[in-house]
């Protein structure tokens, strides 16, 4: 591909002009000129890729038995419950890199590349049905921890948030101890789907270098944190030998048939999840009726994170990490489950309780009528 047709960014022109401009003689009087400007970074330096090793402790390929599927995961930390991170569509596990470097001080972190994303390889890259992605996550958890996984807090951003909610609502993960959903609300998500193909088609699709892709993601506003963009953007790309340029790794425009199923019924499923729940929203997002009532009833905690874009975990990683670790501490989630809490809920007009003194997680604790408390 002739890369000369690729649109240059304004900074390129500025750099070229600065290099061509002749140096002016220094005035004799210090009062006749402004102070010298300190040296600035070139575009390639400012937007160069960062190594994940500065944030995660290790990476690993998880091979799923009886299939050709291999999922790439990044891990950090050695103690506490596992914060299992699921990225949004078009992102990768490294979307949580900067926040993982903080969370690992109080918990373990696992961030996987979902199918069709990052360094994971699967038989059907475009099968992004919520059922398939849920099965992928459960298969990875089993491959890593066997039949006795530690307490897990599922953290899902956007599409990954939908996957996390579906897993929790189905009670498919016996050791699930908490759920954190990042910037996805059913009503808003469904309403935005009619514009999604236009958004995907209008973005830049070809980059002459990884640095150009990082620069575009920041200048275009999709990411607001340069350091996080330098970390996460490279794994969202792949090099196309035929076009001699970088293109997006995930072919989201080819998965439209699954988009609606990610979000339909999400609010009710979220509220039905039998574990402590935290909903993080970027800006003032409108809750639908079910979530509004649920919040008023105290069924989940909600935090609106100001001055951030859609990718909260990337734009404000320190604040995101603090919110997650505070959620874990507030709900006393340890490596074996929720410690010393009693949960009350109504079921068919009967008040039930769940005790976690035996270190089992809420989803694994049988419901008991309130009149059995003294038995």
């Amino acid at each position: 591909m002739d890369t000369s047709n690729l649109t240059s960014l304004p900074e390129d022109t500025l750099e070229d002009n600065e290099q061509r401009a002749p140096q002016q003689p220094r005035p004799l009087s210090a009062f006749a000129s402004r102070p010298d400007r300190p040296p600035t970074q070139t575009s390639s330096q400012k937007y160069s890729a960062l190594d994940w090793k500065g944030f995660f402790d290790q990476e690993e390929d998880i091979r799923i038995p009886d299939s050709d599927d291999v999922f790439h995961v990044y891990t950090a930390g050695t103690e506490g419950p596992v914060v299992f991170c699921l990225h949004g569509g078009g992102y990768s596990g490294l979307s949580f890199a900067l926040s993982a470097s903080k969370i690992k001080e109080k918990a373990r972190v696992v961030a996987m590349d979902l199918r069709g994303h990052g360094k994971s390889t699967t038989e059907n890259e475009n099968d992004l049905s919520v059922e398939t992605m849920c099965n992928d996550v459960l298969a990875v958890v089993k491959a890593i921890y066997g039949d006795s996984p530690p307490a897990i807090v599922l953290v899902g951003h956007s599409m990954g948030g939908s996957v996390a909610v579906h897993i929790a609502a189905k009670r498919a993960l016996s050791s699930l101890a908490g759920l954190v959903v990042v910037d996805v609300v059913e009503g808003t998500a469904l309403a935005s789907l009619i514009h999604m193909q236009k958004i995907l088609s209008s973005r830049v699709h070809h980059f002459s270098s990884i640095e150009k892709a990082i620069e575009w993601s920041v200048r275009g506003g999709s990411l607001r944190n340069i350091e996080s963009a330098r970390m996460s953007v490279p794994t969202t790309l792949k090099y196309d030998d035929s076009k001699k340029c970088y293109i997006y790794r995930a072919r989201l425009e080819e998965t439209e048939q699954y988009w609606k199923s990610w979000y339909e019924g999400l609010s009710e499923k979220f509220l039905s999840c039998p574990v402590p729940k935290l909903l993080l929203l970027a800006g003032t997002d409108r809750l639908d009726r079910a979530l509004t009532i649920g919040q008023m009833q105290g069924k989940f905690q909600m935090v609106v994170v100001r001055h951030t874009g859609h990718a909260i975990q990337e734009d404000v990683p320190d604040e995101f990490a603090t919110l997650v670790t505070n959620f874990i501490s507030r709900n006393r989630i340890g490596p074996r489950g929720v410690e010393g809490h009693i949960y009350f809920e109504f079921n068919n007009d009967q008040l039930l309780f769940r005790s976690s003194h035996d270190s089992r997680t809420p989803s694994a604790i049988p419901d008991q009528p309130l009149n059995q408390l003294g038995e």
Side-chain angles (χ1 to χ4, degrees), residues 39-180:
T40 58
Q41 291 180 310
T42 65
S43 178
S44 60
Q45 291 173 328
K46 184 177 181 179
Y47 299 104
S48 60
L50 295 177
D51 193 330
W52 62 265
K53 293 178 182 177
F55 307 94
F56 285 103
D57 297 337
Q58 61 183 16
E59 63 177 347
E60 183 180 0
D61 284 327
I62 305 298
R63 300 182 181 278
I64 306 304
D66 303 320
S67 77
D68 294 328
D69 296 344
V70 180
F71 292 96
H72 200 75
V73 301
Y74 301 89
T75 60
T78 58
E79 298 179 349
V82 173
V83 177
F84 202 101
C85 302
L86 306 175
H87 61 79
Y91 295 80
S92 77
L94 291 181
S95 177
F96 295 93
L98 268 64
S99 55
S101 66
K102 303 294 182 182
I103 296 174
K104 71 178 183 180
E105 297 173 1
K106 297 184 178 180
R108 289 171 281 180
V109 183
V110 177
M112 69 177 284
D113 290 339
L114 295 171
R115 73 169 48 223
H117 292 75
K119 296 182 180 180
S120 292
T121 57
T122 55
E123 297 176 10
N124 186 351
E125 299 276 74
N126 286 346
D127 181 7
L128 295 187
S129 66
V130 70
E131 294 81 11
T132 297
M133 290 191 288
C134 286
N135 290 334
D136 290 342
V137 174
L138 294 173
V140 169
V141 170
K142 185 171 184 178
I144 296 175
Y145 301 110
D147 295 325
S148 301
I152 292 177
V153 176
L154 278 180
V155 177
H157 169 237
S158 197
M159 178 189 76
S162 170
V163 176
V165 168
H166 279 79
I167 291 174
K170 292 191 296 185
R171 307 191 184 197
L173 189 56
S174 62
S175 66
L176 184 64
L179 174 65
V180 180

Side-chain angles (χ1 to χ4, degrees), residues 344-352:
F344 295 91
E345 65 179 48
F346 283 95
N347 186 10
N348 296 326
D349 296 326
Q350 186 177 34
L351 183 61
L352 306 175

Side-chain angles (χ1 to χ4, degrees), residues 247-261:
I247 62 175
Y248 290 109
R249 162 77 174 88
R251 301 192 297 273
L252 293 178
E253 61 278 359
E254 299 176 17
T255 65
E256 184 176 4
Q257 60 181 310
Y258 305 116
W259 296 351
K260 195 173 181 180
S261 64

Side-chain angles (χ1 to χ4, degrees), residues 145-273:
Y145 301 110
D147 295 325
S148 301
I152 292 177
V153 176
L154 278 180
V155 177
H157 169 237
S158 197
M159 178 189 76
S162 170
V163 176
V165 168
H166 279 79
I167 291 174
K170 292 191 296 185
R171 307 191 184 197
L173 189 56
S174 62
S175 66
L176 184 64
L179 174 65
V180 180
V181 175
V182 185
D183 207 40
V184 56
V185 172
E186 178 183 347
T188 307
L190 288 173
S192 67
L193 291 182
I194 60 175
H195 308 291
M196 192 54 60
Q197 282 290 6
K198 183 177 181 180
I199 293 173
L200 292 175
S201 62
S202 62
R203 63 181 180 173
V204 178
H205 288 84
H206 307 94
F207 302 96
S208 60
S209 67
I210 289 178
E211 291 79 10
K212 294 299 181 187
I214 295 172
E215 183 174 5
W216 183 84
S217 70
V218 175
R219 291 196 170 194
S222 58
L223 295 176
R224 302 184 183 185
N225 185 318
I226 293 180
E227 185 180 14
S228 187
R230 293 171 65 192
M231 180 74 264
S232 66
V233 169
T235 51
T236 67
L237 307 168
K238 66 178 182 179
Y239 189 76
D240 189 319
D241 289 316
S242 63
K243 298 179 180 178
K244 303 299 181 184
C245 64
Y246 289 91
I247 62 175
Y248 290 109
R249 162 77 174 88
R251 301 192 297 273
L252 293 178
E253 61 278 359
E254 299 176 17
T255 65
E256 184 176 4
Q257 60 181 310
Y258 305 116
W259 296 351
K260 195 173 181 180
S261 64
W262 294 347
Y263 307 119
E264 278 188 327
L266 193 64
S267 294
E268 292 293 349
K269 287 183 174 65
F270 174 73
L271 293 172
S272 72
C273 296

